[in-house]
Amino acid sequence: SIEGTLLMLDSATPHVAVVVQAVRSGKSVATVLSGENGKYQFTNLKPGAYQVRSQVLGGYVYYGEGAGERGDGEILRVESGKAVRGVDFRFADFKKGVWKHYTVCSFK
């Protein structure tokens, strides 16, 4: 598995419900949303080389040194039975405005 946390630039405030993708050979192979605490986890990935990217305003940011839109982030090696931890992101808030959550109700 690969796991990490999405935090804002203050390193304390989590990014909640943000898309995170595991990318292999240039294609997204798994997508998850960060949780209430900013944490995310990919489970049951096949062994191999992956990049991890998170959605930001206008595109994606890749994990690792020199990461950018071109997909030049760090390559992570996933091995069977071993977790890759600490794949953390820090970026500015990009969800501007007031957000309201609605639920669907059915009436009988």
Side-chain angles (χ1 to χ4, degrees), residues 29-42:
V29 295
T31 301
V32 296
L33 291 177
S34 59
E36 291 292 322
N37 55 4
K39 295 191 181 294
Y40 71 90
Q41 182 179 26
F42 296 102

Side-chain angles (χ1 to χ4, degrees), residues 72-88:
D72 56 353
E74 185 175 330
I75 302 295
L76 305 171
R77 302 279 175 201
V78 173
E79 297 178 26
S80 183
K82 294 183 180 179
V84 179
R85 295 185 173 93
V87 183
D88 301 333

Side-chain angles (χ1 to χ4, degrees), residues 49-61:
Y50 293 87
Q51 291 177 296
V52 177
R53 67 185 183 188
S54 179
Q55 185 173 14
V56 295
L57 189 62
Y60 293 96
V61 63

Side-chain angles (χ1 to χ4, degrees), residues 10-107:
D10 65 2
S11 296
T13 308
H15 285 285
V16 178
V18 174
V19 171
V20 185
Q21 295 179 329
V23 178
R24 189 169 186 177
S25 301
K27 295 181 183 177
S28 173
V29 295
T31 301
V32 296
L33 291 177
S34 59
E36 291 292 322
N37 55 4
K39 295 191 181 294
Y40 71 90
Q41 182 179 26
F42 296 102
T43 56
N44 300 321
L45 291 175
K46 293 180 181 179
Y50 293 87
Q51 291 177 296
V52 177
R53 67 185 183 188
S54 179
Q55 185 173 14
V56 295
L57 189 62
Y60 293 96
V61 63
Y62 285 76
Y63 172 77
E65 293 296 320
E69 286 289 325
R70 297 184 317 274
D72 56 353
E74 185 175 330
I75 302 295
L76 305 171
R77 302 279 175 201
V78 173
E79 297 178 26
S80 183
K82 294 183 180 179
V84 179
R85 295 185 173 93
V87 183
D88 301 333
F89 289 83
R90 303 240 178 334
F91 51 87
D93 186 13
F94 64 92
K95 294 182 177 182
K96 304 293 183 198
V98 177
W99 295 84
K100 293 185 180 182
H101 296 275
Y102 297 93
T103 59
V104 178
C105 298
S106 63
F107 296 97

